[in-house]
């Protein structure tokens, strides 16, 4: 699967129908893939130009072979592939900047790109494929403020992923339940982040809930592109993740034993550092998926 995704990226086609090529080594793809099982939130660090935005975008495009996922919708002028890019602004302070708000004067809901992305993820077309919502330059403002509702939501089980919309009943859609918008379980949030004087540090609350990947400078390489294309459904991928947790449970057991015994446990106790249940569950999901996705 990882080899296939790599080859699809190498033989990518942009939204205008032009041939492009994006090369990522298989270890980077495996870490990204395992992180999708570990957490609904991934943070991609790196200097400008390392392919932080391209990685989830090209991954999403590589998942589906059906022509209806190619190019741009002529009506919405948005990509047909299962991703949306939402640019974070430095002035964002709260959830209204992210989600929009109801305008009482105009009697309509002022939608944002992020709101529309979640709405699109609810459509039948995207119901059974991974759907990436990319928060570009996520740390231009503090996610702990504007993304706070979602950080709390990620602590809940997937069937409780709903975000309250400050809206009027007459404007509720089919995907709202009592003014709450459903966030489908196949959605993954990808935040890109730069290190410079214009950005802010993430709080521990955000780090704790994320798979953090630091992307090095992307080395341009050539490789063999994909010959045949396949539809990779979310159901299929979820089954593979579940299978990995069962098959490679002994591998995680070794890691758990390493945490609980020996010098590491003594060192952590001396520093008054505890390991919570969230970390252990994330480690189990990440390690088993990573091992299942290739050798090494």
């Amino acid at each position: 699967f990882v080899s296939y995704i790599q080859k699809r990226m190498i033989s990518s086609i942009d939204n205008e129908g032009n041939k492009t090529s994006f090369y990522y080594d298989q270890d980077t793809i495996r870490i990204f893939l395992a992180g999708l099982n570990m957490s609904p939130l991934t943070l991609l660090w790196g200097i400008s130009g390392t392919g932080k935005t391209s990685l989830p975008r090209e991954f999403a495009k590589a998942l589906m072979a059906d022509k209806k996922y190619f190019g741009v919708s002529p009506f919405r002028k948005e990509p047909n592939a299962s991703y949306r890019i939402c640019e974070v602004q430095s002035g964002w302070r709260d959830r209204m900047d992210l989600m929009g708000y109801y305008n009482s004067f105009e009697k309509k809901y002022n939608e944002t790109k992020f709101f529309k992305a979640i709405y699109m993820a609810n459509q039948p077309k995207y119901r059974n494929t991974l759907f990436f919502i990319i928060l570009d330059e996520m740390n231009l403002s503090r996610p702990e403020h504007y993304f706070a509702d979602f950080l709390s939501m990620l602590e809940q089980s997937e069937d409780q992923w709903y975000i309250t919309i400050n809206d009027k009943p007459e404007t509720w859609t089919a995907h709202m339940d009592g003014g709450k918008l459903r966030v489908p379980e196949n959605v993954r949030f990808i935040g890109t982040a730069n290190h410079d004087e214009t950005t802010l540090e993430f709080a521990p609350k955000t780090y704790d809930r994320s798979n953090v990947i630091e992307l090095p400078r992307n080395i341009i390489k050539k490789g063999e592109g994909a010959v045949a294309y396949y539809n990779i459904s979310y159901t299929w991928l979820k089954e593979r993740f579940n299978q990995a947790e069962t098959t490679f449970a002994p591998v995680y057991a070794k890691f758990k034993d390493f945490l609980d015994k020996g010098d590491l446990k003594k060192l952590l106790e001396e520093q008054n550092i505890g390991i919570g249940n969230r970390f252990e569950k994330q480690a189990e999901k990440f390690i088993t998926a990573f091992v299942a996705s290739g050798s090494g």
Side-chain angles (χ1 to χ4, degrees):
F1 173 70
V2 169
S3 177
Y4 169 73
I5 292 294
Q6 184 187 45
K7 291 179 180 180
R8 279 293 307 268
M9 289 180 173
I10 291 172
S11 56
S12 179
I13 299 175
D14 66 20
N15 289 332
E16 283 71 45
N18 302 312
K19 291 184 178 180
T20 59
S21 182
F22 294 87
Y23 179 87
Y24 293 91
D25 63 71
Q26 291 196 12
D27 277 347
T28 298
I29 298 173
R30 290 174 66 196
I31 292 170
F32 181 72
L33 174 64
L36 300 177
N37 186 43
M38 174 191 126
S39 171
L41 175 61
T42 295
L43 301 179
L44 300 176
W45 286 98
I47 62 174
S48 180
T50 54
K52 300 185 296 296
T53 303
S54 302
L55 176 57
R57 183 191 67 208
E58 297 304 314
F59 194 104
K61 289 164 63 177
L63 290 172
M64 306 307 290
D66 195 310
K67 294 295 183 182
K68 68 180 180 179
Y69 295 99
F70 291 8
V72 176
S73 167
F75 305 106
R76 297 186 301 275
K77 305 301 181 184
E78 294 178 337
N80 284 316
S82 55
Y83 74 91
R84 293 294 183 270
I85 300 175
C86 306
E87 299 83 3
V88 174
Q89 305 298 320
S90 59
W92 285 10
R93 295 291 180 266
D94 55 38
R95 55 167 296 169
M96 286 194 298
D97 295 314
L98 183 70
M99 291 291 292
Y101 61 94
Y102 181 76
N103 189 317
S104 299
F105 181 75
E106 297 182 354
K107 298 188 182 302
K108 69 175 185 178
Y109 194 88
N110 287 354
E111 301 170 343
T112 62
K113 281 187 176 182
F114 187 86
F115 180 95
K116 291 178 181 179
I118 295 178
Y119 184 84
M120 289 305 300
N122 275 286
Q123 302 306 309
K125 177 179 178 179
Y126 301 110
R127 191 167 293 162
N128 198 24
T129 181
L130 275 173
F131 193 98
F132 295 126
I133 300 180
I134 304 166
L135 290 162
D136 201 26
E137 299 197 60
M138 190 179 189
N139 61 335
L140 276 178
S141 193
R142 295 194 180 279
E144 299 76 30
H145 295 169
Y146 69 84
F147 201 63
D149 289 354
F150 288 86
L151 291 176
S152 298
M153 180 197 74
L154 300 182
E155 295 293 287
Q156 310 300 320
S157 58
E158 294 167 344
D159 60 349
Q160 298 181 39
W161 282 8
Y162 285 86
I163 292 296
T164 301
I165 305 297
N166 293 326
D167 203 354
K168 300 295 182 180
E170 59 266 26
T171 64
W172 290 351
T173 70
H175 301 294
M176 290 187 186
D177 182 6
K180 294 183 178 181
L181 182 64
R182 177 175 175 266
V183 181
E185 67 170 284
N186 56 313
V187 166
R188 296 294 184 273
F189 301 101
I190 313 295
T192 70
N194 294 324
H195 283 296
D196 58 46
E197 65 278 0
T198 67
T199 60
L200 302 169
E201 289 293 329
F202 289 106
K205 178 180 180 179
T206 304
Y207 279 126
D208 288 348
R209 291 160 174 78
S210 310
N211 175 40
V212 183
I213 306 174
E214 184 168 3
L215 291 182
R217 181 174 176 270
N218 201 7
I219 300 174
I220 305 299
K221 289 185 178 181
K222 293 183 178 180
E224 179 185 354
V227 177
Y229 288 4
Y230 303 95
N231 289 318
I232 310 297
S233 70
Y234 176 72
T235 301
W236 180 89
L237 194 56
K238 186 176 180 180
E239 289 173 352
R240 301 290 84 71
F241 284 148
N242 291 336
Q243 182 181 358
E245 289 181 38
T246 300
T247 303
F248 296 99
V251 178
Y252 170 70
K254 291 181 180 179
F255 176 76
K256 183 70 166 60
D257 190 61
F258 172 71
L259 291 178
D260 294 339
K261 300 178 181 178
D263 295 338
L264 177 61
K265 183 179 181 181
K266 182 179 179 182
L267 176 63
L268 293 176
E269 289 175 348
E270 290 175 352
Q271 299 299 321
N272 198 28
I273 297 175
I275 295 177
N277 293 334
R278 182 195 295 127
F279 174 81
E280 291 183 353
K281 186 62 179 175
Q282 288 176 340
E284 179 182 13
K285 286 179 169 292
F286 182 90
I287 290 171
T288 53
F290 182 80
V291 174
S293 66
S295 61

